Amino acid sequence: MELPPGPREDPCAWEDDSDPEPEPDPDAQAEAYVSRVLSPPQFGLAPLRAPSLSAPAAFSGAPEPRPTSKGPSVQVPGLLSLPPELLLEICAYLDARLVLHVLPRVCRALRDLVRDHVTWRLRAQRRVRAPYPVVEEEDFDWPAACIELEQHLSRWAEDGRWAEYFCLADGHFASIDSVLLLQGGTLCLSGSRDRNVNLWDLRQLGVEPSRVLVKALGTQKNSTHKGWVWSLAALDHRVCSGSWDSTVKLWDMAADGQQFGEIKGKAAVLCLSYRPDILVTGTYDKKVTVYDPRAGPALLKSRRLHSSAVLALLADDRHIISGSEDHTLVVFDRRANSVLQRLQVGPAQGLEGPGLHVAQPELLYPSSLPQLDSYLLCMSYQEPQLWAGDNQGLLHVFANREGCFQLVRTFDVGHRSQITGIKHSLGALYTTSTDKTIRVHVPTDPPWTICTRSHHNVLNGICAEGNLVVAASGGLSLEVWRLQA
């Protein structure tokens, strides 16, 4: 299905671009690459020399000795005498980080070979054998993506048999609905319907089990909040927790988790986004509210952007993106202080033709939009890709193209009910669901599911950072996987 243009956008903008880039022909691109990077030196040019492995001076910066004989030189067979395609084949068996950071120091020939992004693109596509990434990017970081892809595949190889599993079941006495990793995965926060926010030290896993649970945040006698804790967000060492008691509390983890602020609202806080200059809340009364955390925090503005509760929220330097039970995704332009887009998402005719409906920004409650069954529950954003999970167990991928978000793909990754948590990065994708499973994917088109873990209760969210993956369970526990470092 052809997607209609978004608001404030010329329908022909993508076709009449002033600098069009035709779709590259794979064969022509490969031939140009071989001609440019892999072809042997031209006649008359001195071949590149590999440094002698037996000569310490080659590594200490001393100049290479010149041959004293004036007779014809005899080329000694070495690594660089191999055809370039064999060099690439050898590199494919080496760790990607070693190839990227060590080989360029050996010689100029290997440096040029390694630093060419086509080399890394071919390597990544060889690993996944599927279209990747889902959203094409002009400046996509292929070396970083390849490193993360290979690390992700290695950590979850053989259905994740090498991942250490821990169940932290002694901290909460009610369902856990939010989880957040801090400081590279060394610390973890969990928010529960027992009204507490618990702090966990994951460095003690397998070492001192009694010291994993540090404490519950706050000075109240019985609980952190007076209502269910539904959302968590962090910026560096500062953390905020949102609750059904209509408050947001701010905590300083650098000061042993001491509270340094509180926001008292008028409705339950269901989602949060914490930025250096703003703190954004999505609430049950259909509003998106912006505060300045540096001043008080002080209320900046509050807008009723939806006709139902706000369930998911993200913010960056330019946009505030909110998903609601009213089946819409709203993109708010921070600079223009106005709604940029209102998207209604859902599979129009199965998964092969995702539907996209765009209303004019000034039309806040468009009755002309068809009411679909799908609405978003969770989102993960790494520009320009926005991944979102809905209440039917489907994944939607949006592309941010010059400030205009477009739904590009909808995937069924095997979940049978609501997707409650999602974490997406360059080379990894995690999802949790009320169908009691956590699924580990590679973010290809379509996603490649490499591992599935079943649980005895619903899973309400997920967070991944460093070599730790933590899921929030409705069965009163935190499910933790510690991956190979």
Side-chain angles (χ1 to χ4, degrees):
M1 170 183 288
E2 183 178 0
L3 301 179
R8 303 183 183 178
E9 182 184 15
D10 184 358
C12 300
W14 304 113
E15 301 174 1
D16 300 332
D17 193 276
S18 58
D19 188 17
E21 297 187 4
E23 187 73 16
D25 177 53
D27 293 334
Q29 188 179 49
E31 291 176 1
Y33 169 70
V34 171
S35 174
R36 175 169 53 85
V37 178
L38 304 181
S39 59
Q42 297 180 2
F43 178 79
L45 297 179
L48 294 171
R49 297 174 177 269
S52 174
L53 297 179
S54 61
F59 298 93
S60 61
E64 184 179 348
R66 298 177 178 271
T68 56
S69 173
K70 296 184 179 180
S73 61
V74 178
Q75 186 175 3
V76 180
L79 183 66
L80 296 182
S81 65
L82 296 174
E85 55 270 21
L86 286 185
L87 289 177
L88 288 177
E89 183 68 20
I90 293 173
C91 290
Y93 290 91
L94 300 177
D95 182 81
R97 287 167 296 186
L98 182 145
V99 173
L100 180 63
H101 300 299
V102 177
L103 291 191
R105 301 179 182 181
V106 176
C107 65
R108 188 174 301 173
L110 290 179
R111 183 197 65 187
D112 293 341
L113 186 69
V114 167
R115 291 185 177 179
D116 192 284
H117 277 206
V118 176
T119 298
W120 293 99
R121 180 168 188 160
L122 294 174
R123 179 176 176 131
Q125 292 176 342
R126 178 177 178 178
R127 292 290 189 271
V128 299
R129 302 188 182 277
Y132 172 82
V134 176
V135 178
E136 287 287 344
E137 305 174 38
E138 182 178 354
D139 299 323
F140 188 70
D141 193 344
W142 284 102
C146 202
I147 289 174
E148 191 171 335
L149 270 174
E150 294 181 12
Q151 186 179 58
H152 185 60
L153 290 170
S154 174
R155 286 172 166 178
W156 291 99
E158 300 180 45
D159 199 34
R161 63 173 297 187
W162 304 110
E164 294 182 85
Y165 167 72
F166 303 88
C167 178
L168 306 181
D170 296 329
H172 292 286
F173 58 85
S175 174
I176 303 174
D177 292 289
S178 55
V179 64
L180 184 66
L181 285 169
L182 305 171
Q183 299 181 15
T186 59
L187 299 180
C188 178
L189 289 176
S190 56
S192 169
R193 298 183 193 184
D194 63 12
R195 308 182 180 187
N196 276 323
V197 176
N198 281 355
L199 172 64
W200 310 79
D201 185 352
L202 301 186
R203 293 169 294 188
Q204 303 300 327
L205 289 172
V207 180
E208 289 287 345
S210 62
R211 299 177 60 186
V212 176
L213 176 60
V214 180
K215 65 177 183 178
L217 297 186
T219 58
Q220 297 185 30
K221 183 177 180 181
N222 297 319
S223 60
T224 307
H225 281 271
K226 295 180 180 179
W228 294 355
V229 181
W230 207 251
S231 54
L232 296 167
L235 176 67
D236 299 326
H237 58 86
R238 291 163 290 179
V239 175
C240 58
S241 56
S243 168
W244 281 83
D245 64 7
S246 305
T247 68
V248 176
K249 294 188 177 183
L250 294 94
W251 315 92
D252 188 350
M253 305 311 298
D256 197 30
Q258 294 298 310
Q259 184 177 345
F260 69 93
E262 181 174 347
I263 299 171
K264 295 183 179 179
K266 298 180 180 179
V269 181
L270 305 184
C271 45
L272 293 162
S273 184
Y274 203 168
R275 302 285 300 175
D277 56 337
I278 59 171
L279 171 60
V280 190
T281 66
T283 50
Y284 191 75
D285 61 355
K286 315 163 191 176
K287 292 182 180 179
V288 172
T289 305
V290 182
Y291 301 89
D292 186 346
R294 303 165 296 182
L299 174 64
L300 297 180
K301 55 193 169 189
S302 184
R303 296 282 297 271
R304 182 169 292 182
L305 300 180
H306 295 276
S307 59
S308 191
V310 182
L311 304 180
L313 188 69
L314 286 171
D316 63 10
D317 294 336
R318 295 188 57 186
H319 308 102
I320 297 173
I321 308 166
S322 57
S324 168
E325 199 176 356
D326 65 5
H327 312 283
T328 65
L329 178 75
V330 171
V331 181
F332 186 87
D333 191 324
R334 292 180 56 188
R335 299 176 183 178
N337 194 30
S338 63
V339 175
L340 178 65
Q341 289 177 280
R342 180 177 300 275
L343 311 177
Q344 187 124 22
V345 298
Q349 297 292 332
L351 298 183
E352 295 301 320
L356 172 63
H357 310 277
V358 182
Q360 295 300 319
E362 63 274 9
L363 192 58
L364 289 183
Y365 304 112
S367 59
S368 60
L369 292 179
Q371 288 300 303
L372 303 174
D373 293 332
S374 176
Y375 54 85
L376 303 181
L377 294 172
C378 53
M379 298 187 292
S380 180
Y381 182 50
Q382 186 169 10
E383 191 176 2
Q385 298 186 50
L386 171 64
W387 289 67
D390 73 10
N391 64 315
Q392 294 184 332
L394 301 178
L395 281 182
H396 306 275
V397 183
F398 300 83
N400 180 0
R401 291 171 174 158
E402 299 184 1
C404 179
F405 285 80
Q406 298 179 350
L407 177 62
V408 293
R409 296 290 285 160
T410 295
F411 300 116
D412 182 348
V413 293
H415 287 300
R416 300 187 304 275
S417 57
Q418 296 98 328
I419 294 180
T420 54
I422 183 170
K423 177 64 177 179
H424 162 259
S425 62
L426 280 176
L429 175 65
Y430 297 92
T431 54
T432 55
S433 170
T434 54
D435 66 5
K436 306 179 183 181
T437 64
I438 171 176
R439 293 179 182 265
V440 183
H441 320 269
V442 178
T444 52
D445 183 1
W448 170 22
T449 303
I450 58 177
C451 183
T452 300
R453 286 284 183 268
S454 297
H455 188 53
H456 62 83
N457 211 309
V458 299
L459 294 171
N460 297 320
I462 192 165
C463 192
E465 188 170 338
N467 67 326
L468 272 297
V469 179
V470 183
S473 167
L476 323 184
S477 65
L478 284 179
E479 304 298 300
V480 183
W481 290 267
R482 185 165 60 190
L483 310 176
Q484 292 178 327

